[in-house]
Amino acid sequence: MKIPFSPPYINKAVIKEVNDALESGWITTGPKVRKLEELVCKYTYSPNTLCVNSATSGLILALKWYGISKGDEVIIPAYTYAATALAVIHVGATPVMVDIENDFNISVKQIEKAITTKTKAIIPVDIAGWPCNYSDINKIVNSKKKIFQSSNNNQEKLGRILILADSAHSIGAKYKNHFLGTIADITVFSFHAVKNVTTAEGGAVCLNLPKPFNNQEEYDYLRCYSLNGQTKDAFTKSKAGGWKYDIIYPGLKINMPDILAAIGVAQIPEYFEKTLKKRLNIYAYYHNFFSEKPWAILPPCIDDDRVSSCHLYALRIKNISETTRNIIIDKISQQGVATNVHFQPLPLLSLFKEMGYEINSYPNAYNNYKGEISLPIYPQLTKEQLEHIVLTVEKAVETSL
Ligand SMILES: *Cc1c(COP(=O)(O)O)cnc(C)c1O
């Protein structure tokens, strides 16, 4: 039995939407992107959503919007995908990495210690779809208002550190009964091919800025900025008589094309109404099986405040070395089951090592990583496949300990 790790969910509805875009005579940013933005707002209740070509671009755009640049600090977890850090590096600021808690998410205590007068933003990452502790992050940010130094209009207006959620994994997850997209100041979802909702490549920037910000005005600014700072998009210009435009900002070119948005337009309703529940059911299946195993550490999924979007099933094996974990992964793959590791802590990667980050400073990140194996979790998995996965994992672990 061959079981891939995370194949995209492509059905007739997706193919129909993409065909519709192809046959419409318009393939780049236009009506499908607008529709996808509306759907994200409708299902997450986010006030305004801008679609871009990746979550990485969305993070860069948000950091630029807040005027973050050289000399500024942005706090991020050491345990995340590299894009979280790269976005900060791309705007010229310094990523300040902090350790995580046992649930894989950024440690609020470590955030508090890391805040300085140069801190302009925090990027919490909802690892595996499990929401960060946003209430406590908010509290800390408010308690540090006194030392926040604003250096432009938006910073003056907000008057505090920006909370920019890297919610690449967590569309559909809930915090205190609200969908993510309405919790942080700005929330960025990823629609990359392996994510819960995909457009092959893509991302969404959800604006939830407090008063006196007007989210619609900020959306209009960001839309223009994401398309070279041009006053008319190509769709509008293509209309008869619409040729004249202006360039008003030194913008980026990170807009999403309609062909790709079409995939997401078909996926979003089905995800919120059907396939998200399937992910939760698969989580429950794994949970029942592995909770009987003395060697298993189970990932979080539901508590009083949170419901995960079950993007990853991050199983951990107690007290094993990285080497043993890698042997277990090999044994599992010999049985046709693709697994993965999420994530290699950033200080283990060459770029960040060369920049001076050291894994010894992030003991929890390393400990969570060394015993971690991500199992397949997606709606197409059948009962037979799930059974094959758990029995294969059990055997691989129990013959390796
Ligand atoms: C996938 C991912 C990203 C980047 O998403 P793209 O859409 O590929 O840019 C950022 N952060 C995390 C945690 C991710 O897993």
Side-chain angles (χ1 to χ4, degrees), residues 54-56 80-81 83-84 125 166 168-169 190-192 195 201-202 343:
S54 71
T56 308
T80 179
Y81 178 60
T84 319
V125 185
D166 178 340
H169 301 176
S190 172
F191 297 144
H192 177 262
K195 302 290 165 39
E201 296 285 354
F343 287 93

Side-chain angles (χ1 to χ4, degrees), residues 115-280:
I115 290 175
T116 72
T117 53
K118 293 179 180 166
T119 310
K120 295 293 167 129
I122 298 169
I123 311 184
V125 185
D126 308 311
I127 299 286
W130 179 241
C132 291
N133 190 341
Y134 287 101
S135 295
D136 285 356
I137 295 173
N138 266 323
K139 270 185 214 149
I140 285 181
V141 160
N142 283 324
S143 76
K144 299 277 184 179
K145 265 186 172 172
K146 299 174 291 284
I147 66 161
F148 181 74
Q149 296 184 354
S150 49
S151 47
N152 59 46
N153 277 344
N154 283 342
Q155 293 180 10
E156 187 89 19
K157 239 165 139 175
L158 192 61
R160 59 166 169 79
I161 295 166
L162 176 76
I163 303 176
L164 168 59
D166 178 340
S167 293
H169 301 176
S170 54
I171 188 166
K174 280 186 169 174
Y175 187 76
K176 303 204 169 179
N177 238 357
H178 295 282
F179 282 112
L180 298 194
T182 62
I183 305 292
D185 298 317
I186 302 179
T187 301
V188 178
F189 297 127
S190 172
F191 297 144
H192 177 262
V194 302
K195 302 290 165 39
N196 286 20
V197 173
T198 186
T199 58
E201 296 285 354
V205 180
C206 298
L207 302 177
N208 181 47
L209 295 158
K211 289 202 166 91
F213 285 102
N214 176 327
N215 286 297
Q216 180 64 44
E217 276 172 19
E218 302 309 329
Y219 167 89
D220 292 340
Y221 168 82
L222 291 172
R223 162 157 288 283
C224 176
Y225 200 96
S226 70
L227 222 158
N228 286 339
Q230 189 170 301
T231 50
K232 279 184 188 171
D233 63 23
F235 186 69
T236 316
K237 274 201 317 164
S238 72
K239 299 281 155 66
W243 64 271
K244 183 132 171 125
Y245 63 88
D246 196 8
I247 298 288
I248 52 176
Y249 313 118
L252 299 166
K253 183 64 168 62
I254 56 170
N255 54 305
M256 177 187 276
D258 263 21
I259 291 190
L260 299 188
I263 305 174
V265 166
Q267 288 202 346
I268 291 270
E270 194 165 3
Y271 174 68
F272 279 90
E273 288 159 24
K274 207 171 91 192
T275 53
L276 178 55
K277 287 186 200 91
K278 287 196 178 171
R279 286 178 175 270
L280 285 151

Side-chain angles (χ1 to χ4, degrees), residues 372-390:
E372 201 270 351
I373 304 173
S374 301
L375 305 185
I377 181 165
Y378 48 86
Q380 305 94 308
L381 284 168
T382 63
K383 239 188 139 117
E384 293 70 41
Q385 289 177 315
L386 288 172
E387 200 168 299
H388 179 65
I389 293 168
V390 295

